[in-house]
Amino acid sequence: DAWQVVTVAAVCTALVVVMLWLTGWLPKRMGFDRADTIAIQFCGTKKSLATGLPMATVLFAGSQVGLIVLPLMIFHQVQLIVCSWLATRYGRRADAEGAAAAS
C-alpha cells in the first residue's frame, strides 16, 4: 500500500544521505584534497538503474521483477535529486571562493 512505498522512499533517502555523508567525511579524514573528495563522493555513491535493472531481470524472472526493482528505482531518483542539489551547492561554493580570490 501507500505507506510501504513511503517507507521504501524514506529508507532509500536515508541510505543516500548516509552514503553521501560517509563518502564526503572519510576522504577528508584520509587527507584527500577538496577536488578528490568531491570526486570520491559522487563516484562512490553511484549505483545506477542501468546496471541494476538488467541484473534483476536475470536473477528474478517473472512478474515479480517490478516489485523487486521498485526500491532501486526510488533510490535512483532520490540519488539524482540529492546529488544535483549537492553539485549546485559545490558549484556556488567554488564560485564564491573564486570571486573572493579574484578580489
Side-chain angles (χ1 to χ4, degrees), residues 13-92:
T13 303
L15 186 59
V16 168
V17 169
V18 166
M19 290 310 298
L20 283 170
W21 176 82
L22 184 63
T23 56
W25 176 80
L26 191 59
K28 288 178 188 174
R29 298 302 168 255
M30 295 176 70
F32 286 96
D33 66 1
R34 182 170 184 254
D36 289 336
T37 299
I38 292 171
I40 291 168
Q41 189 173 38
F42 280 100
C43 294
T45 59
K46 300 300 173 273
K47 301 297 173 237
S48 74
L49 192 60
T51 57
L53 188 57
M55 285 192 293
T57 56
V58 169
L59 293 174
F60 308 104
S63 62
Q64 296 297 321
V65 173
L67 290 175
I68 293 170
V69 175
L70 182 63
L72 178 63
M73 292 170 34
I74 293 172
F75 180 87
H76 184 71
Q77 291 303 313
V78 170
Q79 184 181 53
L80 290 175
I81 292 167
V82 172
C83 287
S84 67
W85 170 80
L86 192 58
T88 302
R89 185 174 158 221
Y90 281 142
R92 286 184 185 150

